[in-house]
Structure formats: structure tokens, C-alpha cells
Amino acid sequence: MRKICAGCRDGVDFDIPFAMAFQPIVDTDTGLPFAYEALVRGEDGSGAYGVLSQVTDANRYAFDQACRVKAIETAMAAGLMETGARLSINFLPNAVYSPVACIQLTLQTARAVAMPLDRLIFEFTENQLIADPNHVATIIDSYKQIGFKVAMDDFGAGHSGLDLFARFAPDEVKLDMALIRGIDREPRRQAIVRAMVGLCNELDTLLIAEGIETAEEAAVLRSLGVRYHQGYWYARPALGVLPRITPGA
């Protein structure tokens, strides 16, 4: 069984099998992948629920560490460095008890596969219960000092998005798919996204729309000034490989 916690809580293991799928975040100005998001899947490619439902308070830390390792190793083996894209990894702020100590295995893994640290993005979600906002702010500051980018995922899905945006100053914000779904038919949602484009431009924050499923949604978002897109319209997640960007396929 693989040790997950080299240099940090020795002896912690995560023995639930899982795999990583990847979905591109597309730079619509170039048509190329800006990044690939790593998504947890069962070893057979089944959905994330079967794995996530087995994560408990007792193994949350080990799971967070295992995801980082598997995402980095799998993406590099799949040819990430040949694409020019970054790798975006979801992390659990509540699983990180010490930013400096808990990042050591990530750094060791990146060095072992020759992955530049500035190619890594760490996403945290607005929906996740954040027990200690000051602790999360410390994590984010530490990650930025190392050279990572930090993204706020599912923006608009919770009740404190703007407060968290102001407090944590992420490098990237990902608009929740609930805001994107059918936006071509929803003037009010268009107005909200237009305002977010202006806000992110003013704060030098990269804005990403996720969950795009139709040509109409993609076109409206482009017209509103959202350059970076993610969703089934461009590519479905692929297990263990970096999928091609094929709009509408």
C-alpha cells in the first residue's frame, strides 16, 4: 500500500482505488487548452460519487494528498508538457492542517516528474464548508508564494461568493454551471456575467465559465467577454488521457 504522507503525518494511507479524468479549459481566442482540470473517477471510469462517498473525516487528508499525486503523475504521463497547458487540481482546504507541511508531497511529486510549479492551479469551491476562513487565506497566500495559481470554483452556487472573492483574492474564478445553463435565453444571467467580466477585469482575475453544453451558450458567453470556457460542448472528461477539443462533437 502506498504511503501518502511523505514528510507530513507519516503512516497515513488512502486505500480506496480511484482514477483521474481530465477536461480541458479552452482559451477561445486560440482554440487551445489553457488548462486541464483533474476530476476524480472510479477506476472503471464511473462517476466521482462512488469514491467521494467513502471520504470521511478520518481519511480526508490522505484523500486530498492522494488526489494531488495521482493528478500530477497521470497528467504528466498523458503528455501535459507537450500541450503548453496547466493542470488544475481540486483541493480540500479543511484537509490542510499546515500549508507548508502539507504541500511537501505535492512538491516532491512535481519534482519527480519534472513538472514546473507555475503549471499548477489549485481550485477550492465556494460550496465547500470553510470552517476557518483565516486558515484558508493562509493556505492561499502560501500557495501563491510557492508559485501556484489559485482558483475559486463554483462561483455563484453558494451564499457568500463575493465575500470569499474579496477575502481570498483568487487568481481565477469559475462561474458555476447553474449560472451558465441556458444563459442565451436569460437576460438577467447575462447581466450578472457581464458584471463579473467587468469586475474580474478590474481585479486582474481570470474568469472561466464552466458547464457549457451548447453552441448558443458558448456564443453568448464570448459576446459577454468570457474568454475561457469549459464544458461538454468542447470536450467530455476522459479517463487517464487529455481529450481533444472538438466543439459540438
Side-chain angles (χ1 to χ4, degrees), residues 95-170:
V96 178
Y97 76 90
S98 166
V100 175
C102 295
I103 201 61
Q104 294 308 309
L105 183 57
T106 303
L107 297 176
Q108 292 169 18
T109 304
R111 285 195 293 266
V113 296
M115 182 177 194
L117 299 183
D118 61 5
R119 298 281 284 271
L120 281 170
I121 304 166
F122 284 95
E123 298 186 21
F124 71 96
T125 177
E126 179 191 344
N127 268 335
Q128 185 185 16
L129 175 64
I130 297 178
D132 185 350
N134 290 330
H135 178 57
V136 176
T138 300
I139 296 170
I140 291 172
D141 288 344
S142 298
Y143 282 12
K144 287 183 176 182
Q145 289 175 17
I146 290 171
F148 303 145
K149 298 296 184 183
V150 177
M152 183 176 175
D153 196 11
D154 297 333
F155 186 87
H159 302 289
S160 56
L162 288 174
D163 177 63
L164 295 179
F165 186 17
R167 185 166 191 168
F168 298 147

Side-chain angles (χ1 to χ4, degrees), residues 2 7 19 22 24 34-36 64 74 78 83 116 134 149 153 184 211 218:
R2 180 171 187 167
F22 299 96
F34 162 75
Y36 287 92
D64 183 67
T74 307
T83 70
N134 290 330
K149 298 296 184 183
D153 196 11
D184 52 299

Side-chain angles (χ1 to χ4, degrees), residues 181-190 214 216-217 220:
R181 187 68 62 251
I183 192 171
D184 52 299
R185 305 183 302 275
E186 296 284 350
R188 293 179 68 86
R189 294 184 188 180
Q190 294 173 27
T214 69
E216 292 77 14
E217 291 169 353
V220 165

Side-chain angles (χ1 to χ4, degrees), residues 11-245:
V12 175
D13 297 312
F14 187 77
D15 56 6
I16 300 168
F18 70 96
M20 282 290 172
F22 299 96
Q23 186 178 39
I25 298 170
V26 182
D27 180 346
T28 60
D29 279 2
T30 65
L32 299 174
F34 162 75
Y36 287 92
E37 181 179 358
L39 302 164
V40 172
R41 293 290 186 268
E43 282 192 314
D44 60 355
S46 57
Y49 178 77
V51 178
L52 298 179
S53 62
Q54 300 180 71
V55 177
T56 66
D57 289 342
N59 65 14
R60 192 180 315 279
Y61 172 82
F63 174 67
D64 183 67
Q65 294 286 305
C67 284
R68 297 163 184 243
V69 170
K70 190 172 289 289
I72 292 170
E73 291 180 342
T74 307
M76 290 296 284
L80 181 74
M81 296 306 294
E82 300 167 15
T83 70
R86 300 182 182 189
L87 175 64
S88 193
I89 303 173
N90 293 278
F91 81 102
L92 305 174
N94 295 340
V96 178
Y97 76 90
S98 166
V100 175
C102 295
I103 201 61
Q104 294 308 309
L105 183 57
T106 303
L107 297 176
Q108 292 169 18
T109 304
R111 285 195 293 266
V113 296
M115 182 177 194
L117 299 183
D118 61 5
R119 298 281 284 271
L120 281 170
I121 304 166
F122 284 95
E123 298 186 21
F124 71 96
T125 177
E126 179 191 344
N127 268 335
Q128 185 185 16
L129 175 64
I130 297 178
D132 185 350
N134 290 330
H135 178 57
V136 176
T138 300
I139 296 170
I140 291 172
D141 288 344
S142 298
Y143 282 12
K144 287 183 176 182
Q145 289 175 17
I146 290 171
F148 303 145
K149 298 296 184 183
V150 177
M152 183 176 175
D153 196 11
D154 297 333
F155 186 87
H159 302 289
S160 56
L162 288 174
D163 177 63
L164 295 179
F165 186 17
R167 185 166 191 168
F168 298 147
D171 301 292
E172 303 170 11
V173 167
K174 300 182 75 175
L175 297 173
D176 185 70
M177 64 178 64
L179 185 62
I180 301 306
R181 187 68 62 251
I183 192 171
D184 52 299
R185 305 183 302 275
E186 296 284 350
R188 293 179 68 86
R189 294 184 188 180
Q190 294 173 27
I192 292 170
V193 172
R194 187 181 297 111
M196 280 299 299
V197 169
L199 180 61
C200 286
N201 285 340
E202 184 173 348
L203 296 175
D204 194 26
T205 303
L206 189 145
L207 185 64
I208 300 167
E210 57 183 349
I212 300 168
E213 294 189 352
T214 69
E216 292 77 14
E217 291 169 353
V220 165
L221 288 162
R222 281 280 291 166
S223 72
L224 294 172
V226 182
R227 173 177 174 177
Y228 298 93
H229 293 192
Q230 181 179 0
Y232 285 0
W233 173 251
Y234 295 96
R236 290 179 176 268
L239 192 68
V241 299
L242 306 177
R244 294 176 56 192
I245 298 169

